[in-house]
């Protein structure tokens, strides 16, 4: 199973910025899709941003403020978060959908806390 190591969370004031990073540790053949999800207290996990076949998608709540990017050489994925709001608070998880040994897998990072508060 591919392990995903996340970094970059923390506490920030409203209007501030954070950059999250996710790096894979393990073997894989092909990465089909990468994405960032978040889970706020008392709420279900939701998709924030993703890249599939070179196409990026964002949830309406973060469009124009967050940018997802992928470094194909290092197979890392980042999430630049600007103009942060208190509603952006939650645990952020990266996700890789990949192929290994002819089978499809789905791996999640351990989660990193983002808190937006005055």
């Amino acid at each position: 199973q591919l392990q995903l190591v996340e970094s970059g969370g923390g506490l920030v004031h409203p209007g501030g910025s954070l950059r999250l990073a996710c790096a894979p540790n393990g073997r894989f053949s092909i990465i089909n899709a990468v994405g960032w999800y978040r889970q706020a207290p008392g709420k279900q996990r939701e998709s924030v941003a993703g890249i599939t076949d070179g196409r990026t998608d964002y949830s309406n709540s973060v469009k124009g403020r967050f940018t997802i990017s992928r470094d194909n050489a290092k197979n890392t994925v980042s999430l630049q978060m600007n103009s942060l709001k208190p509603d952006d608070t939650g645990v952020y998880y990266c996700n890789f959908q990949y192929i290994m040994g002819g089978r499809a897998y789905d791996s999640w990072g351990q989660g990193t806390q983002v808190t937006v508060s005055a």
Side-chain angles (χ1 to χ4, degrees):
Q1 185 81 359
L2 188 66
Q3 290 184 327
L4 302 179
V5 180
E6 301 169 3
S7 60
L11 172 65
V12 64
H13 293 309
S17 298
L18 282 174
R19 185 176 181 87
L20 306 182
C22 177
N25 182 13
R27 298 178 62 188
F28 56 89
S29 297
I30 300 170
I31 297 174
N32 288 331
V34 296
W36 286 94
Y37 293 70
R38 70 185 178 193
Q39 187 165 17
K43 296 186 177 181
Q44 290 188 331
R45 190 175 298 187
E46 63 174 350
S47 175
V48 173
I51 302 176
T52 304
D53 294 331
R55 185 188 76 248
T56 58
D57 293 290
Y58 298 92
S59 68
N60 288 334
S61 63
V62 307
K63 200 170 294 184
R65 299 186 298 120
F66 290 12
T67 302
I68 187 172
S69 60
R70 176 179 169 182
D71 184 328
N72 291 321
K74 299 179 181 179
N75 292 304
T76 57
V77 61
S78 299
L79 185 69
Q80 177 66 41
M81 305 185 293
N82 298 328
S83 302
L84 282 160
K85 305 174 182 180
D87 284 348
D88 294 318
T89 294
V91 179
Y92 283 69
Y93 300 89
C94 67
N95 172 262
F96 276 36
Q97 297 176 23
Y98 64 100
I99 304 294
M100 179 63 190
R103 295 180 59 183
Y105 293 87
D106 193 9
S107 283
W108 293 88
Q110 79 282 3
T112 185
Q113 177 70 44
V114 171
T115 303
V116 185
S117 175

